[in-house]
Amino acid sequence: MLFTKVFYEDKEIQNERLELTDKGSLYFVGPNLTLKNCTVVLKVPARNLIFDGVRFIDCTFEVKQELKNHQSWVFASLKGCKFKGNLSGCDFGHWPGYSEGSEHGFIEDCDFTEARLDGCRIMGCDPATLRFPKWPSFTILDPVQNSRVLRSATWPGRFGRIVIDDLANNPAVTRAATFFAPAEAKHFDTTPEAFQAVIQQFDCILS
């Protein structure tokens, strides 16, 4: 399939609505691009969406189809933004060791309360400035540092053996990891209530 290349670069855009929804297009967002007070509508797979040296300020992201494994967020600076919709396996923030250009990634003062995050991580930035989705989502703070104490609990299904035991292997810059309990319960053949009983034991888990 031949894709149409669409470029947003070398300018500042304010108060506009950007529809990145054509599955036949590759969207190159950046470099040298600043979006302020914009609404960005996303309805393409991660492979169709390339962020590189873009600043989003006070923008709203409307994710119309689940965005999976989109690591390109770490090439973007996000400040005061709001997210709506489903995201899984996405990383946000400052991860200089990931790839060239990821040293410019940043996230601060962003709101995920209207989003559904599963297996999403915050890298190299302060999660205290962020608003995470509430239960049935839950967010593990400093998962690498807290991995040992979290392994002391009996987690439902195979979640403990596969996910919790692997927390220590996350990059050292991982500051938070958010999961959606119903999705994890379905994957590991357990229930959201079984997760809730465990996460209530830990101050390092937000729900």
Side-chain angles (χ1 to χ4, degrees):
M1 179 178 180
L2 293 177
F3 290 95
T4 300
K5 295 182 179 180
V6 180
F7 294 90
Y8 296 93
E9 60 186 9
D10 299 321
K11 59 184 173 181
E12 181 174 306
I13 302 174
Q14 295 192 49
N15 305 308
E16 292 192 17
R17 183 179 179 90
L18 278 67
E19 303 259 358
L20 311 185
T21 58
D22 178 14
K23 293 177 176 58
S25 295
L26 288 178
Y27 293 99
F28 294 86
V29 185
N32 303 316
L33 176 70
T34 299
L35 277 69
K36 293 183 178 179
N37 297 299
C38 291
T39 296
V40 183
V41 182
L42 303 177
K43 197 178 179 181
V44 292
R47 64 178 179 272
N48 293 52
L49 188 61
I50 298 97
F51 293 156
D52 182 17
V54 53
R55 297 173 66 212
F56 296 102
I57 302 171
D58 298 327
C59 292
T60 297
F61 294 93
E62 297 181 358
V63 182
K64 297 298 187 180
Q65 75 173 40
E66 184 173 2
L67 187 60
K68 301 179 180 180
N69 302 318
H70 186 52
Q71 270 69 53
S72 192
W73 291 108
V74 299
F75 297 93
S77 173
L78 299 145
K79 184 171 176 60
C81 296
K82 177 178 286 189
F83 292 80
K84 301 177 181 181
N86 300 343
L87 303 100
S88 60
C90 296
D91 294 329
F92 304 83
H94 184 65
W95 190 359
Y98 178 68
S99 183
E100 184 179 352
S102 62
E103 66 272 13
H104 303 301
F106 180 76
I107 187 167
E108 183 179 67
D109 298 329
C110 289
D111 185 350
F112 291 99
T113 56
E114 295 183 54
R116 195 196 85 180
L117 305 180
D118 189 42
C120 294
R121 301 182 296 186
I122 303 300
M123 316 300 285
C125 292
D126 184 3
T129 73
L130 309 177
R131 297 179 64 196
F132 291 100
K134 300 295 186 181
W135 179 259
S137 295
F138 61 97
T139 300
I140 300 174
L141 301 176
D142 290 321
V144 177
Q145 293 183 20
N146 289 312
S147 60
R148 179 174 295 179
V149 67
L150 291 171
R151 287 199 304 269
S152 68
T154 301
W155 291 85
R158 293 172 293 119
F159 185 82
R161 187 168 67 254
I162 293 177
V163 177
I164 298 298
D165 285 358
D166 193 53
L167 289 178
N169 297 322
N170 278 261
V173 296
T174 308
R175 298 289 175 258
T178 298
F179 300 91
F180 184 60
E184 297 298 325
K186 183 178 180 180
H187 184 72
F188 290 108
D189 195 24
T190 181
T191 66
E193 292 73 23
F195 279 104
Q196 194 170 33
V198 179
I199 67 178
Q200 289 175 343
Q201 303 172 29
F202 296 100
D203 293 336
C204 63
I205 303 181
L206 306 177
S207 64

